Amino acid sequence: MIRTIGCLFCLLHIAFGCHSGWTSFNTSCYHVSGEPTSWMDSMKMCEMRGAYLVHVDSASEDEFVTSLMKTHGVSDVWLGGSDWSSEGSWVWEPEGNIFQYSKFTPGQPNNHNGENCLMKEAHHHYYWNDKDCDLRRAYICEDPNNPGNPVVG
Ligand SMILES: [Ca+2]
Ligand SMILES: [Ca+2]
């Protein structure tokens, strides 16, 4: 039954889906950039595309992002989380929503030398880590308005 519903969504996405270069998952479209970019510049690049640096709100979305990383051959990506405004309080930027879901590597976040930006790392089994915001890495933008999703609200 689930498989049938999934296929129905696939068909809808072919007709009304995400723009070229973007991948559909639930109510959002996602774009992977392999261009090594700082966390702040990643935020800006996503905003220029009418999106935001990806917010990972569930285990299923986290698994989807992992699959995107594998498909695009990127080992580390910036996620849109930060504890920049209040040390130890992790929020999704730019709105500042507190994490409802998180998947930090054991021992992380450790604020090593003042790390405030959220990265997902292949060499830590795709778990999360706080990292130096100035590091240049790949990033994933999320556009929450998936035109292929028939559910409104
Ligand atoms: Ca920190
Ligand atoms: Ca860290």
Side-chain angles (χ1 to χ4, degrees), residues 71-151:
T71 302
H72 289 79
V74 293
S75 54
D76 303 318
V77 296
W78 287 125
L79 307 180
S82 171
D83 75 333
W84 180 82
S85 45
S86 178
E87 178 55 39
S89 295
W90 285 87
V91 297
W92 296 114
E93 300 289 2
E95 294 86 355
N97 300 325
I98 294 169
F99 284 12
Q100 299 297 309
Y101 167 86
S102 66
K103 196 177 180 183
F104 282 104
T105 299
Q108 302 293 345
N110 63 354
N111 199 40
H112 180 66
N113 291 335
E115 296 169 320
N116 292 332
C117 289
L118 187 65
M119 193 182 292
K120 183 170 163 72
E121 302 174 308
H123 72 280
H124 281 148
H125 308 287
Y126 297 95
Y127 279 55
W128 304 356
N129 188 359
D130 57 339
K131 299 292 283 185
D132 179 342
C133 301
D134 291 331
L135 292 173
R136 291 167 176 265
R137 293 293 187 275
Y139 60 95
I140 298 178
C141 300
E142 176 181 1
D143 179 346
N145 301 303
N146 184 341
N149 194 297
V151 180

XYZ file of all heavy atoms in Angstrom, residues 71-151:
659
model
N 24.389 10.040 -3.752
C 24.099 10.190 -5.183
C 25.023 11.219 -5.830
O 25.497 11.033 -6.953
C 22.635 10.632 -5.387
O 21.779 9.665 -4.793
C 22.305 10.780 -6.867
N 25.284 12.315 -5.096
C 26.093 13.403 -5.646
C 27.575 13.272 -5.295
O 28.377 14.148 -5.655
C 25.566 14.766 -5.175
C 24.254 15.127 -5.812
N 23.048 14.604 -5.397
C 23.977 15.939 -6.854
C 22.079 15.096 -6.155
N 22.616 15.906 -7.040
N 27.941 12.228 -4.554
C 29.343 11.984 -4.263
C 29.992 13.034 -3.391
O 31.169 13.357 -3.563
N 29.220 13.586 -2.436
C 29.800 14.553 -1.493
C 29.892 13.893 -0.116
O 28.967 13.228 0.333
C 28.991 15.866 -1.423
C 29.089 16.604 -2.742
C 27.546 15.630 -1.053
N 31.022 14.102 0.562
C 31.259 13.411 1.835
C 30.829 14.237 3.042
O 30.470 13.684 4.079
C 32.729 13.027 1.969
O 33.545 14.160 1.802
N 30.866 15.572 2.916
C 30.426 16.445 4.005
C 29.512 17.512 3.417
O 29.801 18.033 2.341
C 31.611 17.178 4.660
C 32.675 16.220 5.182
O 32.305 15.197 5.771
O 33.869 16.526 4.990
N 28.456 17.845 4.133
C 27.609 18.975 3.704
C 27.245 19.834 4.902
O 27.093 19.354 6.029
C 26.294 18.544 3.015
C 26.559 17.817 1.712
C 25.411 17.712 3.930
N 27.077 21.121 4.637
C 26.506 22.026 5.625
C 25.013 21.793 5.703
O 24.334 21.667 4.682
C 26.754 23.485 5.226
C 28.147 23.990 5.381
C 28.923 24.561 4.410
C 28.930 24.027 6.589
N 30.135 24.933 4.944
C 30.162 24.611 6.274
C 28.692 23.610 7.903
C 31.167 24.798 7.233
C 29.690 23.785 8.852
C 30.906 24.370 8.514
N 24.503 21.781 6.955
C 23.069 21.838 7.217
C 22.778 23.223 7.797
O 23.694 23.927 8.228
C 22.651 20.753 8.213
C 23.066 19.311 7.903
C 22.567 18.370 9.013
C 22.570 18.855 6.542
N 21.502 23.614 7.828
C 21.158 24.982 8.215
C 21.065 25.242 9.706
O 20.381 26.164 10.122
N 21.744 24.445 10.519
C 21.699 24.605 11.972
C 22.905 25.362 12.503
O 23.997 25.288 11.944
N 22.673 26.097 13.611
C 23.748 26.870 14.229
C 23.451 27.088 15.708
O 22.284 27.127 16.116
C 23.876 28.216 13.520
O 24.758 29.063 14.222
N 24.516 27.217 16.518
C 24.335 27.691 17.902
C 25.105 28.995 18.071
O 25.558 29.330 19.159
C 24.748 26.635 18.931
C 26.254 26.480 19.078
O 27.003 26.771 18.105
O 26.705 26.065 20.164
N 25.184 29.743 16.976
C 25.929 30.993 16.950
C 25.345 32.031 17.906
O 26.085 32.704 18.628
C 25.938 31.539 15.518
C 26.666 32.832 15.362
C 28.008 33.021 15.232
C 26.093 34.140 15.328
N 28.296 34.351 15.123
C 27.154 35.059 15.179
C 24.773 34.620 15.408
C 26.931 36.441 15.102
C 24.550 35.991 15.333
C 25.639 36.882 15.180
N 24.013 32.168 17.934
C 23.416 33.240 18.743
C 23.403 32.903 20.225
O 23.463 33.803 21.058
C 22.016 33.605 18.246
O 21.269 32.466 17.986
N 23.341 31.615 20.586
C 23.376 31.235 21.999
C 24.094 29.898 22.123
O 23.548 28.861 21.724
C 21.948 31.136 22.553
O 21.986 30.726 23.903
N 25.308 29.922 22.635
C 26.140 28.735 22.685
C 25.401 27.537 23.305
O 24.862 27.630 24.408
C 27.429 29.022 23.477
C 28.345 27.832 23.639
C 28.702 27.197 22.307
O 28.912 27.942 21.324
O 28.745 25.958 22.235
N 25.364 26.438 22.569
C 24.745 25.214 23.051
C 23.268 25.089 22.729
O 22.693 24.014 22.896
N 22.640 26.177 22.258
C 21.232 26.133 21.859
C 21.164 26.055 20.336
O 21.345 27.055 19.638
C 20.480 27.379 22.338
O 20.432 27.413 23.744
N 20.887 24.863 19.829
C 20.921 24.637 18.380
C 19.586 24.952 17.745
O 18.540 24.460 18.194
C 21.351 23.194 18.085
C 22.814 23.057 18.328
C 23.432 22.771 19.513
C 23.856 23.297 17.378
N 24.793 22.806 19.356
C 25.088 23.114 18.066
C 23.870 23.642 16.023
C 26.312 23.275 17.416
C 25.087 23.795 15.382
C 26.284 23.610 16.069
N 19.621 25.792 16.723
C 18.400 26.222 16.037
C 18.617 26.138 14.523
O 19.749 26.149 14.032
C 18.010 27.672 16.414
C 17.702 27.768 17.909
C 19.105 28.666 16.029
N 17.499 26.067 13.803
C 17.538 26.130 12.342
C 17.430 27.580 11.921
O 16.488 28.272 12.323
C 16.391 25.309 11.728
C 16.489 23.849 12.018
C 15.647 23.091 12.780
C 17.501 22.937 11.534
N 16.083 21.782 12.817
C 17.202 21.671 12.071
C 18.624 23.088 10.722
C 18.001 20.548 11.806
C 19.412 21.975 10.462
C 19.096 20.715 10.993
N 18.419 28.028 11.150
C 18.447 29.403 10.672
C 17.765 29.506 9.305
O 17.759 28.529 8.559
C 19.914 29.864 10.548
C 20.689 29.811 11.853
C 20.276 30.881 12.864
O 19.349 31.670 12.573
O 20.881 30.898 13.943
N 17.215 30.698 8.934
C 17.320 31.944 9.708
C 16.208 32.141 10.736
O 16.273 33.095 11.503
C 17.217 33.008 8.610
C 16.321 32.405 7.592
C 16.633 30.928 7.591
N 15.192 31.257 10.778
C 14.047 31.505 11.680
C 14.425 31.368 13.150
O 13.821 31.984 14.024
C 12.897 30.551 11.361
C 12.260 30.763 9.990
C 12.991 30.013 8.906
O 14.034 29.404 9.195
O 12.520 30.043 7.761
N 15.406 30.487 13.445
C 15.784 30.268 14.834
C 14.917 29.249 15.551
O 14.776 29.293 16.769
N 14.324 28.310 14.774
C 13.498 27.258 15.380
C 14.380 26.210 16.057
O 15.341 25.712 15.464
C 12.639 26.570 14.304
C 11.700 27.548 13.618
O 11.192 28.470 14.246
N 11.484 27.353 12.330
N 14.029 25.859 17.297
C 14.787 24.859 18.058
C 14.657 23.494 17.384
O 13.606 23.151 16.833
C 14.258 24.806 19.509
C 14.565 26.133 20.216
C 14.865 23.645 20.292
C 13.869 26.286 21.547
N 15.745 22.718 17.414
C 15.751 21.393 16.792
C 14.647 20.498 17.380
O 14.553 20.338 18.593
C 17.098 20.690 17.041
C 18.234 21.185 16.197
C 18.141 22.344 15.464
C 19.421 20.456 16.143
C 19.206 22.790 14.683
C 20.490 20.887 15.369
C 20.384 22.056 14.642
N 13.849 19.922 16.515
C 12.887 18.897 16.942
C 13.510 17.512 16.817
O 13.055 16.558 17.436
C 11.620 18.970 16.081
C 10.894 20.292 16.166
C 10.381 20.587 17.565
O 9.719 19.745 18.176
N 10.704 21.762 18.087
N 14.520 17.412 15.975
C 15.224 16.159 15.723
C 16.699 16.517 15.595
O 17.041 17.580 15.092
C 14.730 15.528 14.418
C 15.592 14.402 13.897
C 15.393 13.101 14.339
C 16.608 14.652 12.978
C 16.185 12.066 13.889
C 17.413 13.626 12.511
C 17.196 12.332 12.968
O 17.986 11.313 12.515
N 17.569 15.632 16.076
C 19.005 15.830 15.849
C 19.698 14.477 15.838
O 19.171 13.493 16.366
C 19.621 16.735 16.914
O 19.582 16.106 18.177
N 20.849 14.427 15.198
C 21.583 13.178 15.107
C 23.087 13.454 15.185
O 23.845 13.205 14.250
C 21.223 12.431 13.825
C 21.639 10.959 13.861
C 21.205 10.231 12.610
C 21.637 8.774 12.669
N 21.298 8.044 11.427
N 23.507 14.010 16.304
C 24.924 14.300 16.509
C 25.710 13.012 16.733
O 25.230 12.077 17.387
C 25.114 15.223 17.707
C 24.800 16.673 17.433
C 23.621 17.244 17.895
C 25.686 17.452 16.711
C 23.338 18.583 17.642
C 25.416 18.786 16.452
C 24.244 19.353 16.919
N 26.922 12.991 16.200
C 27.889 11.945 16.517
C 28.119 11.946 18.035
O 28.194 13.022 18.633
C 29.229 12.243 15.802
O 29.013 12.248 14.399
C 30.300 11.221 16.157
N 28.232 10.774 18.674
C 28.548 10.746 20.100
C 29.777 11.613 20.402
O 30.773 11.554 19.687
C 28.828 9.266 20.363
C 27.979 8.552 19.349
C 28.033 9.430 18.118
N 29.689 12.449 21.439
C 30.783 13.364 21.784
C 30.663 14.727 21.125
O 31.428 15.639 21.435
N 29.705 14.855 20.210
C 29.430 16.135 19.539
C 28.046 16.633 19.942
O 27.207 15.815 20.318
C 29.506 15.967 18.020
C 30.831 15.447 17.518
C 31.982 16.409 17.708
O 31.779 17.595 17.975
N 33.203 15.893 17.601
N 27.734 17.894 19.886
C 28.663 18.976 19.534
C 29.623 19.282 20.690
O 29.211 19.264 21.840
C 27.727 20.157 19.290
C 26.523 19.869 20.146
C 26.376 18.372 20.164
N 30.892 19.577 20.360
C 31.891 19.816 21.402
C 32.434 21.248 21.408
O 33.303 21.565 22.209
C 33.036 18.811 21.279
C 33.795 18.932 19.972
O 33.392 19.698 19.087
N 34.878 18.186 19.831
N 31.906 22.096 20.487
C 32.306 23.510 20.453
C 33.828 23.672 20.422
O 34.375 24.609 20.998
C 31.706 24.254 21.661
C 31.681 25.759 21.465
O 31.387 26.249 20.372
N 32.016 26.506 22.513
N 34.508 22.771 19.718
C 35.972 22.791 19.660
C 36.470 24.091 19.039
O 36.142 24.396 17.888
C 36.453 21.590 18.832
C 37.943 21.503 18.707
N 38.759 21.260 19.791
C 38.760 21.641 17.643
C 40.024 21.243 19.382
N 40.050 21.476 18.084
N 37.204 24.880 19.790
C 37.676 26.195 19.346
C 36.524 27.087 18.879
O 36.683 27.908 17.972
C 38.715 26.062 18.219
C 40.026 25.457 18.714
O 40.351 25.562 19.899
N 40.758 24.805 17.825
N 35.346 26.884 19.480
C 34.212 27.763 19.179
C 33.464 27.410 17.906
O 33.106 28.305 17.130
N 33.170 26.129 17.706
C 32.430 25.715 16.504
C 30.944 26.020 16.669
O 30.342 25.668 17.695
C 32.609 24.207 16.284
C 34.034 23.801 16.005
C 34.212 22.294 16.069
O 33.623 21.658 16.954
O 34.948 21.761 15.236
N 30.342 26.623 15.631
C 28.940 27.030 15.736
C 28.076 26.605 14.551
O 26.913 27.005 14.494
C 28.852 28.559 15.862
C 29.405 29.059 17.179
O 29.381 28.345 18.188
N 29.922 30.270 17.177
N 28.610 25.839 13.610
C 27.839 25.525 12.406
C 27.711 24.019 12.208
O 28.615 23.259 12.538
C 28.484 26.178 11.189
S 28.264 27.973 11.201
N 26.584 23.615 11.643
C 26.204 22.201 11.623
C 26.591 21.500 10.321
O 26.192 21.928 9.236
C 24.690 22.082 11.827
C 24.145 20.673 12.010
C 24.685 20.044 13.302
C 22.619 20.702 12.048
N 27.353 20.415 10.465
C 27.786 19.632 9.315
C 27.380 18.169 9.481
O 27.326 17.654 10.599
C 29.309 19.723 9.155
C 29.825 19.211 7.821
S 31.628 19.298 7.744
C 31.885 21.066 7.720
N 27.093 17.548 8.348
C 26.766 16.109 8.296
C 27.908 15.423 7.560
O 28.255 15.834 6.453
C 25.430 15.954 7.554
C 24.864 14.548 7.437
C 23.447 14.679 6.891
C 22.894 13.378 6.326
N 22.576 12.398 7.365
N 28.509 14.403 8.198
C 29.786 13.879 7.723
C 29.737 12.386 7.394
O 29.360 11.570 8.245
C 30.860 14.100 8.795
C 31.043 15.559 9.181
C 31.999 15.733 10.351
O 31.791 15.070 11.397
O 32.959 16.497 10.209
N 30.163 12.045 6.181
C 30.173 10.642 5.765
C 31.078 9.798 6.661
O 30.726 8.674 7.021
C 30.626 10.541 4.307
N 32.246 10.372 7.035
C 33.195 9.559 7.801
C 32.747 9.352 9.250
O 33.377 8.608 9.985
C 34.608 10.158 7.732
C 34.787 11.425 8.521
N 34.385 12.642 8.053
C 35.316 11.638 9.740
C 34.677 13.571 8.962
N 35.228 12.992 9.998
N 31.660 10.012 9.649
C 31.014 9.717 10.936
C 29.647 9.090 10.683
O 28.683 9.381 11.395
C 30.896 10.975 11.791
C 32.178 11.345 12.484
N 32.545 12.644 12.744
C 33.191 10.570 12.955
C 33.722 12.663 13.358
N 34.139 11.422 13.483
N 29.584 8.262 9.671
C 28.352 7.529 9.338
C 27.178 8.475 9.121
O 26.040 8.147 9.461
C 28.029 6.500 10.434
C 29.183 5.598 10.755
N 29.593 4.601 9.895
C 30.031 5.569 11.808
C 30.650 3.989 10.424
N 30.944 4.552 11.570
N 27.476 9.642 8.571
C 26.454 10.635 8.225
C 25.762 11.211 9.450
O 24.664 11.758 9.346
C 25.443 10.069 7.218
C 26.102 9.716 5.891
C 26.532 8.415 5.632
C 26.318 10.680 4.922
C 27.153 8.085 4.436
C 26.943 10.365 3.724
C 27.353 9.075 3.493
O 27.963 8.762 2.307
N 26.398 11.075 10.622
C 25.913 11.774 11.810
C 26.374 13.231 11.730
O 27.142 13.614 10.843
C 26.449 11.100 13.076
C 25.670 9.873 13.500
C 25.463 8.810 12.613
C 25.155 9.764 14.787
C 24.764 7.688 13.008
C 24.449 8.626 15.185
C 24.255 7.599 14.298
O 23.569 6.489 14.700
N 25.920 14.036 12.709
C 26.160 15.469 12.670
C 27.309 15.869 13.594
O 27.630 15.173 14.550
C 24.908 16.239 13.088
C 23.672 15.932 12.299
C 23.548 15.102 11.211
C 22.365 16.437 12.551
N 22.247 15.076 10.773
C 21.491 15.879 11.588
C 21.828 17.317 13.497
C 20.124 16.183 11.554
C 20.470 17.613 13.461
C 19.634 17.049 12.497
N 27.892 17.046 13.304
C 29.001 17.572 14.088
C 28.964 19.094 14.003
O 28.561 19.639 12.975
C 30.318 17.032 13.489
C 31.542 17.346 14.344
O 31.449 17.988 15.391
N 32.690 16.889 13.864
N 29.348 19.764 15.078
C 29.527 21.212 14.972
C 30.932 21.471 14.444
O 31.892 20.824 14.877
C 29.275 21.925 16.313
C 30.148 21.428 17.457
O 30.670 20.304 17.373
O 30.288 22.168 18.449
N 31.030 22.398 13.485
C 32.299 22.658 12.806
C 32.527 24.163 12.676
O 31.614 24.968 12.854
C 32.301 22.011 11.407
C 32.148 20.502 11.405
C 33.349 19.775 11.982
C 34.511 19.729 10.992
N 35.628 18.904 11.534
N 33.757 24.512 12.354
C 34.154 25.901 12.106
C 33.364 26.433 10.903
O 33.468 25.885 9.796
C 35.663 25.912 11.816
C 36.204 27.303 11.525
O 35.422 28.221 11.211
O 37.444 27.454 11.594
N 32.607 27.506 11.120
C 31.714 28.037 10.082
C 32.460 28.480 8.822
O 31.854 28.607 7.749
C 30.918 29.217 10.635
S 29.905 28.813 12.071
N 33.741 28.774 8.942
C 34.513 29.258 7.797
C 35.028 28.139 6.892
O 35.565 28.413 5.810
C 35.694 30.111 8.272
C 35.235 31.432 8.886
O 34.155 31.926 8.478
O 35.935 31.948 9.773
N 34.910 26.884 7.325
C 35.325 25.778 6.462
C 34.479 25.803 5.187
O 33.306 26.158 5.209
C 35.123 24.427 7.174
C 36.018 24.147 8.373
C 35.580 22.853 9.058
C 37.478 24.029 7.912
N 35.082 25.406 4.099
C 34.370 25.380 2.820
C 33.964 23.942 2.498
O 34.819 23.053 2.401
C 35.243 25.954 1.702
C 35.464 27.452 1.868
C 36.570 27.955 0.962
N 36.705 29.413 1.062
C 36.108 30.253 0.213
N 35.394 29.787 -0.793
N 36.258 31.548 0.363
N 32.662 23.739 2.381
C 32.134 22.409 2.126
C 30.978 22.491 1.133
O 30.480 23.573 0.819
C 31.611 21.776 3.427
C 32.688 21.459 4.454
C 33.623 20.349 3.986
N 34.559 19.928 5.015
C 35.726 20.509 5.282
N 36.103 21.559 4.568
N 36.501 20.053 6.223
N 30.543 21.313 0.653
C 29.327 21.237 -0.142
C 28.137 21.620 0.743
O 28.261 21.686 1.977
C 29.151 19.824 -0.690
N 27.002 21.908 0.124
C 25.822 22.276 0.913
C 24.557 21.867 0.168
O 24.584 21.598 -1.040
C 25.823 23.780 1.213
C 25.803 24.676 -0.005
C 24.605 25.191 -0.504
C 26.985 25.008 -0.657
C 24.584 26.018 -1.618
C 26.975 25.832 -1.779
C 25.774 26.333 -2.249
O 25.756 27.139 -3.358
N 23.475 21.813 0.919
C 22.188 21.409 0.344
C 21.140 22.456 0.681
O 20.950 22.805 1.845
C 21.744 20.031 0.869
C 22.774 18.959 0.465
C 20.360 19.666 0.342
C 22.460 17.563 0.983
N 20.488 22.970 -0.361
C 19.395 23.920 -0.178
C 18.063 23.176 -0.153
O 17.890 22.177 -0.849
C 19.356 24.932 -1.326
S 20.857 25.915 -1.503
N 17.128 23.695 0.636
C 15.768 23.143 0.698
C 14.764 24.232 0.360
O 14.782 25.298 0.974
C 15.487 22.594 2.106
C 14.054 22.087 2.268
C 13.760 21.557 3.662
O 14.657 21.593 4.545
O 12.614 21.109 3.871
N 13.918 23.950 -0.607
C 12.797 24.826 -0.950
C 11.534 24.153 -0.426
O 11.183 23.065 -0.898
C 12.728 25.007 -2.468
C 11.577 25.899 -2.907
O 10.672 26.163 -2.084
O 11.570 26.308 -4.078
N 10.864 24.747 0.566
C 9.721 24.065 1.189
C 8.464 24.036 0.330
O 7.473 23.427 0.729
C 9.494 24.879 2.469
C 9.942 26.254 2.098
C 11.116 26.068 1.160
N 8.514 24.683 -0.821
C 7.329 24.731 -1.675
C 7.486 23.778 -2.854
O 7.838 24.190 -3.953
C 7.104 26.166 -2.170
C 6.926 27.125 -1.015
O 6.045 26.949 -0.190
N 7.787 28.127 -0.951
N 7.226 22.496 -2.581
C 7.315 21.483 -3.630
C 6.044 21.527 -4.470
O 4.966 21.183 -3.981
C 7.477 20.108 -2.978
C 7.663 19.008 -3.989
O 7.343 19.164 -5.170
N 8.170 17.878 -3.535
N 6.147 21.988 -5.721
C 4.936 22.116 -6.540
C 4.295 20.768 -6.847
O 3.152 20.703 -7.283
C 5.441 22.789 -7.814
C 6.899 22.487 -7.864
C 7.372 22.342 -6.449
N 5.031 19.681 -6.617
C 4.480 18.347 -6.885
C 3.637 17.822 -5.749
O 3.007 16.782 -5.886
N 3.647 18.526 -4.619
C 2.909 18.014 -3.472
C 1.510 18.575 -3.454
O 1.311 19.785 -3.349
C 3.638 18.356 -2.166
C 3.083 17.546 -1.024
O 1.904 17.678 -0.684
N 3.898 16.701 -0.441
N 0.493 17.722 -3.562
C -0.897 18.186 -3.649
C -1.465 18.606 -2.310
O -2.541 19.185 -2.253
C -1.640 16.959 -4.183
C -0.829 15.803 -3.663
C 0.611 16.258 -3.624
N -0.727 18.331 -1.205
C -1.241 18.670 0.128
C -0.932 20.125 0.436
O 0.218 20.543 0.371
C -0.612 17.754 1.192
C -1.152 18.111 2.573
C -0.890 16.299 0.865
